């Protein structure tokens, strides 16, 4: 088994080194030479790796139980610092198996799987085009606000990934999944809009479109602060040089004209200071035939969408992905008025009272040591969906997930009367 693992890891390394899309050579060589240093250290590495994979595989059963997503153990093959606050994690199958296909725009669910600890799961968009050799996610480090010591959502996963995860580590990965993607049959001109780390699904869509439909016009508008917060920016601008129908335009909100000139000298594409202006987007070549995909802060997407619709773009041509987050979609109506409601988590045999209108059912479960899987915690991904055995639940925002009558989304749900959940 160890021999198989060593061969598989070596095969993955070779495959990745031969890839042209990303510069992985430094990592692969360093890693290969490190492993080859002595047969003893190689043996130790293999032992540790096999033990880690075996332990995580044993966790898979509890994670996968009841989940619609497929979960697997994946090895982090490489970690790349993309910008001051963003890192890419390249994920491979630890045994060198080819990875399933996904649709550009979809996300993975990531879970640390620390034995015995309460689990946090978060969604991360795949940031590279579909490739059976590896998947890539690019994670922005989300600091807590000054003075706050504990995340409201028991999360901190992005900080944990940045501070803890190195090449050779394994993670539990769910998916790929999600309804925000570029359909394979879509051949229309594309306009992609990204702000900040919202570049991740857009980079996957752009690369996939360039590889599969190089003749289709595609324009990417990318809003960034400055070059230190410009994840994947160099990649997407370099692609333009090889694809004449691709246009990449970055807008920097804080960059002086000397730095802009340096970028113009070094990369293909357009660079401007300030904000993406709606006129340029709405008047891009082929705008009336184009499909628009966007990802960035919710308020930014909302204003872009309103502006595009006002400029005559059909609303059904505009698609967007929300990354959610605390307070990103404020309640549209006050939470339930009940002061105390009985909530029963049937499977865990726990009964508690819900008294805080600010608290979601997911948060109540967590506070009661009842684990409900999660992803976005914003009503976007469906990761916290559970069966509602009795009672009724209301939501503090509009949700786009389709639920059957006996299901509820716990992360944005509050009970309106006594409820029993099958968890
Ligand atoms: C479909 C989808 C795709 C996504 N893709 C990506 C991606 O490609 N890259 C990426 O980086 N992220 C992505 N996200 C976001 C990601 O899932 C996480 O939400 C993000 O990494 C933050 O998780 P966390 O556990 O680190 O932070 P959390 O602990 O959940 O905190 C989230 C935010 O809330 C703030 N916060 C927490 N507690 C408090 C408090 N008490 N008071 C005030 N503020 C507080 C934090 O400062 C932080 O900014 C995606 C989300 C979705 C739904
Ligand atoms: S965790 Fe994503 S919808 Fe609830």
């Amino acid at each position: 088994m160890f021999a198989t693992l060593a061969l598989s890891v070596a095969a993955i390394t070779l495959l990745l080194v031969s890839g042209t899309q990303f510069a992985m050579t430094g990592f692969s060589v360093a890693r290969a030479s490190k492993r080859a240093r002595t047969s003893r250290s190689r043996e130790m590495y293999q032992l540790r790796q096999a033990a880690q994979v075996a332990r995580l595989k044993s966790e898979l059963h509890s994670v996968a139980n009841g989940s619609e997503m497929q979960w697997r153990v994946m090895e982090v093959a490489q970690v790349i610092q993309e910008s001051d606050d963003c890192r890419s994690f390249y994920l491979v199958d630890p045994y060198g198996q080819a990875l399933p296909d996904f649709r550009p725009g979809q996300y993975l669910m990531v879970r640390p799987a620390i034995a015995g600890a309460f689990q946090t799961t978060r969604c991360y968009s795949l940031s590279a085009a579909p490739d059976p050799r590896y998947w890539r996610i690019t994670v922005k480090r989300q600091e807590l606000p000054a003075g706050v010591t504990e995340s409201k959502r028991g999360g901190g996963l992005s900080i944990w990934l940045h501070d803890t995860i190195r090449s050779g580590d394994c993670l539990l990965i769910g998916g790929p999944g999600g309804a925000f993607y570029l359909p394979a049959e879509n051949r229309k001109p594309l306009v992609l809009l990204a702000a900040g780390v919202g570049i991740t699904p857009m980079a996957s869509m752009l690369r996939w479109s360039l590889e599969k439909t190089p003749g289709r016009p595609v324009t990417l508008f990318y809003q960034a602060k400055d070059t230190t917060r410009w994840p994947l920016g160099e990649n997407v601008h370099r692609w333009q040089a090889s694809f004449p129908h691709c246009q990449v335009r970055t807008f920097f909100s804080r960059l002086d004209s000397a730095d802009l000139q340096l970028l113009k000298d070094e990369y293909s594409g357009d660079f401007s200071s300030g904000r993406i202006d709606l006129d340029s987007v709405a008047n891009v070549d082929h705008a009336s035939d184009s499909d628009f995909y966007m990802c960035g802060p919710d308020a930014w997407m909302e204003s872009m969408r309103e502006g595009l619709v006002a400029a005559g773009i059909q609303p059904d041509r505009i698609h967007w992905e929300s990354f959610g987050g605390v307070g990103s979609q404020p309640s549209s109506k006050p939470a339930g008025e009940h002061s105390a409601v009985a909530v029963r988590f049937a499977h865990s045999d726990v009964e508690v009272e819900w008294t805080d209108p600010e608290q979601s059912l997911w948060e109540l479960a967590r506070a009661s040591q009842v684990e409900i899987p999660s992803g976005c915690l914003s009503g976007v991904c469906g990761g916290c969906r559970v069966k509602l055995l009795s009672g009724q639940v209301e939501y503090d925002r509009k949700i786009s997930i389709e639920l059957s009558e006996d299901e509820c989304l716990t992360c944005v749900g509050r009970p309106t009367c006594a409820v029993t959940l099958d968890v």
Side-chain angles (χ1 to χ4, degrees), residues 109 123 362 373-385 401 409-412:
M109 291 178 82
C123 304
W362 186 89
S374 65
C376 62
L377 295 180
S378 313
V380 176
C381 73
C384 65
R385 178 199 314 240
I401 308 267
L409 281 189
T410 52
C411 72
V412 288

Side-chain angles (χ1 to χ4, degrees), residues 28 83 85 115 147 190 225 228-229 263 292 322 345 418:
S28 302
S83 64
D85 56 2
L190 289 178
K225 272 198 183 123
T228 66
R229 307 227 166 182
L263 288 168
F292 292 73
S322 167
F345 301 108

